[in-house]
Amino acid sequence: MLTFATLLVIPFQLQLVGLGVFIFLVWYFILRKYRSLGIRMFFLFSTVAALAISQRIAVLYNPIKEQMYHTMSFNRYKTQQWLLYALPIFFFIIGLILGITCRKYEVGIHEDTGDEYLERDGEIILDEKLSSTARMLKRMNIVSKLVQAFRGISY
């Protein structure tokens, strides 16, 4: 069975490539076809819930030294195990609520700039092409993600 813990054995560069392929496939098959903000929010929160369900805590035991590692994490896991069930349910419910309430909003893209806008019933509600603050925040976010990616690759 493929779990999140088994994916950590894969080298970091291959993890980045896999993540990039996953993001591309999500964009190509879901976000490009369905412009509904509700579907996008439902997919985002459902993915977070699925990732939360698959993270396991590894308890390591060294038989030579007779020493157990991560004991504090294991004890905390036993007392706070309900959080591992409540958190994915919480994110799924948020995604479901946003999916239902935002289903009539559509995300559009200006083809000349790539900026996105929200519309409902043909009326544009929010447009980042017209907002200098949104454009600046978008550029800062892209730059920070590039720095994080290059910092991760250099290790």
Side-chain angles (χ1 to χ4, degrees):
M1 183 168 115
L2 184 65
T3 63
F4 184 70
T6 58
L7 292 176
L8 293 178
V9 179
I10 300 172
F12 184 70
Q13 286 81 8
L14 289 177
Q15 290 179 20
L16 285 178
V17 170
L19 181 64
V21 168
F22 175 74
I23 290 171
F24 174 76
L25 291 174
V26 166
W27 171 78
Y28 189 78
F29 289 111
I30 295 175
L31 301 181
R32 191 173 62 99
K33 184 176 181 182
Y34 303 105
R35 292 180 31 196
S36 170
L37 180 64
I39 289 176
R40 289 179 177 204
M41 290 294 111
F42 176 73
F43 181 78
L44 174 71
F45 281 97
S46 296
T47 304
V48 170
L51 287 175
I53 288 172
S54 66
Q55 287 167 358
R56 295 185 180 169
I57 297 174
V59 178
L60 304 174
Y61 177 71
N62 186 349
I64 297 171
K65 294 183 179 181
E66 294 184 1
Q67 187 174 6
M68 184 180 288
Y69 299 96
H70 303 292
T71 307
M72 296 299 289
S73 295
F74 183 70
N75 289 336
R76 184 175 50 223
Y77 168 74
K78 289 190 325 189
T79 59
Q80 299 176 354
Q81 187 177 10
W82 65 272
L83 286 173
L84 294 177
Y85 300 108
L87 188 65
I89 292 170
F90 173 73
F91 279 117
F92 182 78
I93 290 173
I94 288 177
L96 186 63
I97 290 170
L98 287 174
I100 292 170
T101 58
C102 298
R103 71 182 180 274
K104 294 187 180 183
Y105 292 95
E106 290 188 352
V107 179
I109 297 176
H110 294 286
E111 293 183 11
D112 54 341
T113 62
D115 292 322
E116 295 181 340
Y117 58 89
L118 280 179
E119 67 177 274
R120 180 178 177 155
D121 300 328
E123 178 184 345
I124 294 178
I125 299 171
L126 295 172
D127 192 355
E128 57 180 32
K129 183 178 182 179
L130 303 177
S131 172
S132 61
T133 306
R135 286 195 312 265
M136 180 186 67
L137 290 174
K138 187 175 183 179
R139 288 186 187 119
M140 287 176 42
N141 186 30
I142 291 170
V143 169
S144 71
K145 296 304 175 194
L146 287 173
V147 168
Q148 289 174 5
F150 286 125
R151 188 179 298 160
I153 290 174
S154 65
Y155 287 125

